[in-house]
Amino acid sequence: MDRMHRSMNTYVKTLSKRNESEDKEKTLAVAHLGTTMVNHGEDFEPDSEFGTCLASLGRANERIGRMQETYVANATSSWLESLERSLVQMKEYQVWTNAHQTSLQVAKPAQAARKKLESRRLAYDSSLSKMQKSKKEDFRMEEELRSQKAKYEESSEEVYRRMQDIKEAEIESVADLTSFMEAELTYYDRCREVLMQLKRDWPAT
């Protein structure tokens, strides 16, 4: 999930990166290309086929630049923010599992949870073994056994509950991923429409 978040963040940053143009205005690369084409195309005579083609393609790329801005906003509000919410949930889970085991702070959440659960299970097994080997009743040993059993059961229930919360969140994640897919499809469909219209109206026939 962390790798997916980093890659999505890079993807969005790449698409939304703005470069400074000659007039000091920061624009997306495709929009800057379009504006440069339009400006150069207007330097030619009105009946210049090359100048007209440059300006036409330039205006199409300017439109694509505006579409890209909308797409970036939609991609961010759907999938990128969804990944961020999932990471927060998993980090909260990790914080819980590490609450009393600082040595596990760099462990993966699922590993940390299993280690804590395993630690408590071993402590419980140890107390149970002592109790079974004891030849006489020992109140302190019985109390220790009850305490270790309670801790183990508490950890087991908490791990299960938090894992269920993460699993149930998958429904929302699927909806967010679907929204991202639809935003991507809309973006490329609209870009294609712009270019197909340009092809139909292409000055160089």
Side-chain angles (χ1 to χ4, degrees), residues 3 24 66 93 117 167 170:
R3 285 196 299 270
K24 304 300 181 182
R66 292 192 290 274
Y93 175 38
L117 190 60
K167 183 172 178 59
E170 287 182 4

Side-chain angles (χ1 to χ4, degrees), residues 2-58:
D2 190 51
R3 285 196 299 270
M4 232 184 341
H5 175 257
R6 288 199 304 271
S7 63
M8 183 62 184
N9 199 39
T10 300
Y11 175 68
V12 166
K13 281 183 177 179
T14 301
L15 284 178
S16 57
K17 184 177 180 182
R18 294 172 180 271
N19 297 306
E20 195 172 274
S21 58
E22 287 82 356
D23 57 4
K24 304 300 181 182
E25 182 184 357
K26 287 193 173 183
T27 59
L28 297 176
V30 64
H32 177 54
L33 172 65
T35 300
T36 305
M37 284 181 164
V38 170
N39 290 340
H40 189 49
E42 291 174 348
D43 288 338
F44 290 82
E45 295 296 325
D47 60 349
S48 167
E49 187 176 67
F50 180 51
T52 304
C53 287
L54 271 176
S56 297
L57 183 54

